[in-house]
Amino acid sequence: MSQVRVRFAPSPTGFLHIGGVRTALFNWLFARQQKGVFILRIEDTDQSRSTDESIQAIIEGMTWVGLDWDEGPFRQTERMELYRSHAMGLLERGQAYWCACKAEELEARRKEAEAKGLSPKYDGRCRNRNLMNPTGDAALRFKAPQEGETIVDDLIKGRILFDNQVQDDLIILRSNGYPTYNFSVVVDDALMNITHVVRGDDHLTNTPRQIPIFLALGFPVPHFGHLPMILGSDKTRLSKRHGATSIMAYKDMGYLPDAMVNYLVRLGWSHGDQELFSRQELIEKFSWKNVQTSAAVFNPDKLLWLNAEYIKTSPPSEVAQALVPLLDGAGLKEEAQAVSPDWLAQSVVLVKERAKTLVEMVDWVRPYLGQAVTYDEEAAKKFLTPAIEPALGKLLACFEAFPAFSKQQWEGAFKQVVEEEGMKMGQLAQPVRVALTGRTASPGLFEVMEVLGRDRTLLRLRQGIERASRS
RNA sequence: GUCCCCAUCGUCUAGCCUGGCCUAGGACAUUGCCCUUUCAAGGCAGUAACACGGGUUCAAAUCCCGUUGGGGACACCA
């Protein structure tokens, strides 16, 4: 069999949607598995809705999730001659005809038909008029077959039959000369030698419209596969009402691209009970057979869990790298620049068990940047009291006696102070925690000290003692 | 209205094709317990589903038909 060629063909009418990313992902996985070609094509034939910013957003989004393409991005607006010449070919062969019906008239007739409970399809009044389009304002319609049936052997849903009687004579060239979607996709998929057209479920009924056009044009018909939709929590089509739908919004919210990919692929595809997959595993294990046939509800909770998993298990240096833009965004640019990548990776290790997103991680990491610490007032009031001052002073003296930080030695000293003072661990730990981090919740105290280093630990301890004596 | 798709815990799903191993498995969420210097993380346990009705069969979550419910498409949008 010839080489697999698949494509992702979004229209640039807004940001890149997570549903689009999932469609792209399935195509990409298949292409990579089959050592095929993945093509990015921008469907921008709707002049009024397409924007360059949207094209940038698509490229940015695809790049962020790491879905690289082998050919393109192609833009349909750069291929107008192709569509026109193929449309004229159909006209010459009697497989298309000029239609002089005005858009408003069609709209009115459609409404009327609907009101009567009839099918809103085109009544075919120009079908046999053999118009010439002298004034140049007619639209070109495809002469769709009206008998028999069109078979779609769907990669995911299996064989589906469509009665040709319900098929419409679609407009393939608008009166302004631009092709319509159902025509330009066919020409492009054919000319780009696409072997498998995999797209959203919402295109399923377009397929029996497009197959006759492939046939009329004399092109081989590709395989088709229709992915089930992603729904919101109320089981309606996913939209802004359900929360963020732009892929880049998830970057800003502190999600890792690998977590995003893992979540999206499991939404509609499975491999037994496995939940976590590396990219390589996905490429190896992906199969159309295991793609779900029914729609799936987008579950932000599970995505969050997956992100936490990836934060915990990804190489800390990579997480640290991804964290930098978020640090910048939180107004910690200078602080972030002042530390080494290694140190940042070390603090990622310190807090990665507690942060479910990079945004949360910024907050966890904040106390370890800079010399002094900002107290949570409530915490300071509760734990940095005059009563604790002697114990803190004693601890400080012990630590000062050590020339360098050693987890084992410092922890031993800490326990000794606790014992001598007749305290419980927590009674000393919490004040120290507040002195060191400003908060009542933090990673293990001695891990914190290690990241802080001897000097800052002692500095903050002294400041904590001072605060305790003042209150 | 017409056409098409779909239907297992609240959610994502395994099982369905090739009926019996299913007193239906896993994951997220949720509840309880354990661990514990705090917060997490982790460990253990629990609650929770075959939409309904008919067939076929010794046997149906699995095959067939119908009903209901959900989704999608019917543009000079894509």
Side-chain angles (χ1 to χ4, degrees):
Chain A
M1 202 186 142
S2 57
Q3 188 183 38
V4 163
R5 293 175 61 85
V6 293
R7 73 339 184 249
F8 173 52
S11 61
T13 54
F15 51 72
L16 181 58
H17 194 272
I18 50 179
V21 173
R22 192 181 63 143
T23 302
L25 176 59
F26 283 133
N27 276 287
W28 182 87
L29 287 173
F30 185 58
R32 292 293 169 262
Q33 177 185 72
Q34 300 293 316
K35 305 266 183 283
V37 176
F38 178 58
I39 298 165
L40 179 60
R41 185 174 75 218
I42 309 293
E43 311 230 318
D44 59 348
T45 55
D46 185 350
Q47 293 280 283
S48 59
R49 299 201 304 156
S50 300
T51 65
D52 285 349
E53 297 80 73
S54 301
I55 295 176
Q56 277 317 304
I58 289 164
I59 291 171
E60 192 188 14
M62 293 286 285
T63 304
W64 182 63
V65 288
L67 300 184
D68 55 330
W69 54 94
D70 307 303
E71 293 178 18
F74 297 107
R75 292 183 61 164
Q76 291 191 318
T77 44
E78 288 165 358
R79 301 164 60 82
M80 288 303 159
E81 279 319 305
L82 259 19
Y83 312 126
R84 276 176 205 148
S85 63
H86 281 92
M88 288 310 125
L90 288 180
L91 178 65
E92 280 159 25
R93 280 175 271 132
Q95 289 164 314
Y97 60 91
W98 292 112
C99 172
C101 301
K102 293 276 169 282
E104 311 80 66
E105 295 170 15
L106 292 168
E107 177 71 25
R109 273 188 253 158
R110 204 166 22 240
K111 286 233 171 80
E112 198 180 324
E114 245 169 90
K116 285 184 191 160
L118 297 171
S119 162
K121 89 176 216 184
Y122 177 61
D123 59 13
R125 66 176 66 184
C126 294
R127 199 173 218 240
N128 298 309
R129 288 173 72 188
N130 291 313
L131 296 172
M132 295 300 283
N133 191 28
T135 54
D137 63 352
L140 193 67
R141 276 188 195 271
F142 176 66
K143 206 177 266 182
Q146 296 296 297
E147 289 168 1
E149 51 193 13
T150 297
I151 300 165
V152 179
D153 274 311
D154 196 275
L155 291 165
I156 295 158
K157 300 188 192 270
R159 173 165 291 204
I160 305 162
L161 303 177
F162 293 88
D163 192 337
N164 286 340
Q165 281 180 42
V166 304
Q167 296 307 326
D168 219 339
D169 280 353
L170 299 169
I171 287 179
I172 55 176
L173 279 190
R174 301 177 172 99
S175 49
N176 67 6
Y178 279 81
T180 54
Y181 165 75
N182 276 303
F183 186 64
S184 53
V185 242
V186 171
V187 172
D188 279 340
D189 285 339
L191 262 28
M192 293 179 185
N193 295 310
I194 300 300
T195 55
H196 302 255
V197 172
V198 179
R199 71 240 291 200
D201 227 351
D202 48 340
H203 284 289
L204 187 55
T205 52
N206 278 327
T207 305
R209 298 185 183 121
Q210 292 169 8
I211 287 176
I213 302 179
F214 276 98
L215 264 16
L217 253 14
F219 291 122
V221 179
H223 298 284
F224 290 94
H226 292 93
L227 266 4
M229 304 266 82
I230 300 179
L231 309 177
S233 50
D234 57 358
K235 305 223 175 192
T236 63
R237 208 185 177 125
L238 191 66
S239 72
K240 322 93 228 160
R241 289 183 297 112
H242 304 106
T245 52
S246 155
I247 189 71
M248 292 315 278
Y250 286 88
K251 181 192 181 194
D252 296 341
M253 291 189 291
Y255 287 82
L256 257 15
D258 283 344
M260 219 53 218
V261 163
N262 199 144
Y263 178 71
L264 255 16
V265 80
R266 278 286 288 105
L267 199 57
W269 175 83
S270 59
H271 183 78
D273 288 338
Q274 191 172 347
E275 295 287 351
L276 271 9
F277 299 86
S278 69
R279 296 254 174 160
Q280 197 48 45
E281 266 181 304
L282 287 177
I283 291 169
E284 285 163 15
K285 292 175 172 172
F286 180 75
S287 117
W288 299 119
K289 188 174 159 284
N290 297 314
V291 174
Q292 195 74 5
T293 49
S294 53
V297 174
F298 183 82
N299 182 352
D301 278 341
K302 189 154 185 183
L303 170 61
L304 190 62
W305 169 76
L306 259 168
N307 200 49
E309 285 299 308
Y310 274 88
I311 285 178
K312 277 183 284 190
T313 58
S314 297
S317 58
E318 281 176 27
V319 178
Q321 208 177 345
L323 184 66
V324 172
L326 281 297
L327 247 15
D328 292 354
L332 295 166
K333 192 165 189 157
E334 278 178 39
E335 289 87 340
Q337 276 170 350
V339 301
S340 72
D342 281 352
W343 184 87
L344 196 57
Q346 199 191 344
S347 22
V348 164
V349 173
L350 182 69
V351 303
K352 66 179 185 177
E353 306 278 285
R354 310 149 228 251
K356 289 184 189 295
T357 68
L358 296 179
V359 168
E360 285 179 21
M361 189 176 264
V362 165
D363 201 46
W364 277 103
V365 154
R366 198 188 291 267
Y368 312 107
L369 296 164
Q371 287 300 307
V373 71
T374 308
Y375 295 124
D376 172 77
E377 270 312 308
E378 221 172 293
K381 224 171 265 173
K382 184 169 177 193
F383 292 107
L384 296 179
T385 60
I388 199 70
E389 197 199 328
L392 285 179
K394 197 167 179 181
L395 187 68
L396 175 64
C398 289
F399 287 172
E400 278 174 329
F402 294 118
F405 175 80
S406 146
K407 192 182 166 184
Q408 210 189 343
Q409 288 180 326
W410 290 43
E411 192 164 355
F414 183 92
K415 282 181 174 154
Q416 204 180 327
V417 172
V418 166
E419 202 176 314
E420 285 171 14
E421 295 293 310
M423 304 169 89
K424 283 184 184 166
M425 281 287 272
Q427 286 178 294
L428 185 57
Q430 282 306 77
V432 171
R433 192 182 312 281
V434 175
L436 260 26
T437 69
R439 309 172 184 187
T440 54
S442 84
L445 278 184
F446 301 95
E447 283 77 35
V448 166
M449 291 179 195
E450 187 167 19
V451 166
L452 244 26
R454 181 179 186 271
D455 292 349
R456 276 152 85 209
T457 300
L458 296 181
L459 170 75
R460 290 186 181 186
L461 221 38
R462 282 186 208 107
Q463 290 174 335
I465 290 167
E466 192 188 323
R467 163 76 193 226
S469 67
R470 277 196 288 111
S471 56

